Amino acid sequence: MTDIQHLITPALTFSGVALVSLVCQLSAWRLRLPAILFLLLAGILLGPVVGVLSPDEFLGDLLFPLVSLCVALILFEGSLTLKFDQLKETGSVVRRLVTVGALVTWGVISVACYWLIGLEPGLSALFGALVVVTGPTVIVPMLRTLRATQRISRVLRWEGILIDPIGALLAVLVYEWIAAQSAGDSGFIAGLLIFAKVVCYGTIAGVAGGALMATAMRRHWIPEYLEVLASLTVVLVTFTLANELAHESGLLAVTVMGIWLANARGVDIEEILVFKEHLSVLLISGLFILLAARLDLGALLALGWPALALLLVIQFVARPLAVWISSLGSELNWRERALIAWIGPRGIVAAAVSALFALRLEQAGYENAALVSALTFAVIIGTVVFQSATARTVARLLRVTEPERRGVLIIGANAVARALGEVLQKLDVPLLMVDTHWESISQARMKGLRTVRGNPLSAQVDSSLDLTGLGSLLTITPERERNALLNQHFQRDFAAHRIFTVRNERSGANERLQISAKHEGAPLGPDGMTFSKLSSLISQGARFKATTLTEGFSYAQWREEAGKGRTPLLALTPERRLRVFSPEQTIEPEADWTLIYLETATENGKASRESESAENSPQTAQ
């Protein structure tokens, strides 16, 4: 223990790790880079470089059980996102990437690790399984700055979501095989029997835990406010009991439990996913700083060129081969395949699981086990840094970026938002609608609108929100303060002049109690157009409609004919750029512009009567 470590108390260490975690998360948010990069670099700086943080001496005998429980929770929350019906919806390319592609990646990396690094076959196979995983925590920040086409973004996003539990399960199975082999003194057959026992008990315990939790939620044995606590407790109990029944089967058990619970019918796991969000921010940030502080930089640097060669194989051989095989016969062109093959940063699951396995294998007598963790962390840092720095340039060279963000993010799926969304969708304007209310979201989905159910201010939804191709924000909710908060939150993703909100009436006359208008974004529509007024008009039969101007039918003529029954709100230019009518912005629509306006029920009736009159006129009859 160094002199500096003598001066650092446990309380100071805990608070310091928490502070550094917060700084890392804020840095990642500001720079739009994966948070894991900052967390790992901070851990390396505090641990091997400066020497002020030594997890082994700080936590002592608690290090192993703490990391074990944290990894169990990470695998559980990852497996909660694996729904079998999503495999059907994501397309053949994604399905093959997370199955055949994962096996190809595993095989290539395992062989490369064996030949280049010299690790024994079992550890090489374990390393290959660990670095199969990408994950949404590293993919999403990269996609936000990349602005790739929708097909590319969709493939990369879904691959990151689905490969987390699948890759983790593969790594767990490989590790269980190594552990079984080391415990089987009678040779291959004994090792195979131990492996079968671990898989059997782990699967049974996982299914039992998942079925118990699903039944309890379905029959309301647990009040809603205790569901998060209950799920956390069942995960920890399942993990511990599985390990008691068969040594090292706990990780497999919690992974199976999460998959079972995610696919259980009649069970709403939305509240449990909140647990995943809080866990990721609160617990995992500190965990990765501790894991990175344990890295043996000397052993990693001693590998020299072989480690760099291994990273090149992962980037330029394993990933392109897996993408090529997985995309055979698909609609992706060679440019899209090339960019998907270029992007494959490794993430949180790889770092956490590798650190735990290294600890366990070291205890089992594997001398080179620490290299597995060190190599995994090196691959994470190398892929994140290299791909974050080059992906945007490669995408531009391949000409597979969105030419312009012409779509719209709509916060709110109420009747007003749905009516406007229908018109925008008919005009082929890309849109995404976000709301917390299930009934509103379900009605929007019935109309074919692209939706996300969740709170956009939550870390979980915010980190996974696909803003590709969306350049404008419309907040359409009846809550004035919430609209303002949302507008402030999304200023990092949208330019200030592209953020608009439907105004809400001020409650009370005391200005000291009112939120400032400068925080609300530009008003949507003319002065006096409030959410309550829009909602009232829609309920009375008003409809959003669209019309295209021509050389013979100018905007001035349209305004003259429209009268008071039609209110323009949006417009599309001939280049399909969205423009918003607002008191803070002047718009002069020209020929070939498409106006999107609100037509009142009175005007609807007048237009209908004129149409009927024309159909019944003598000229029409002839």
Side-chain angles (χ1 to χ4, degrees), residues 389-400:
T390 60
R392 179 64 175 161
T393 302
V394 172
R396 281 201 302 264
L397 292 175
L398 291 172
R399 298 195 297 275
V400 288

Side-chain angles (χ1 to χ4, degrees), residues 286-333:
L287 174 64
F288 284 118
I289 292 178
L290 294 175
L291 295 179
R294 295 189 71 255
L295 281 179
D296 187 353
L297 289 184
L300 182 60
L301 295 176
L303 293 174
W305 290 107
L308 179 59
L310 179 61
L311 183 60
L312 294 176
V313 169
I314 294 173
Q315 177 70 36
F316 297 108
V317 179
R319 177 65 176 176
L321 182 61
V323 172
W324 178 73
I325 292 175
S326 301
S327 59
L328 286 174
S330 70
E331 297 180 354
L332 297 174
N333 58 47

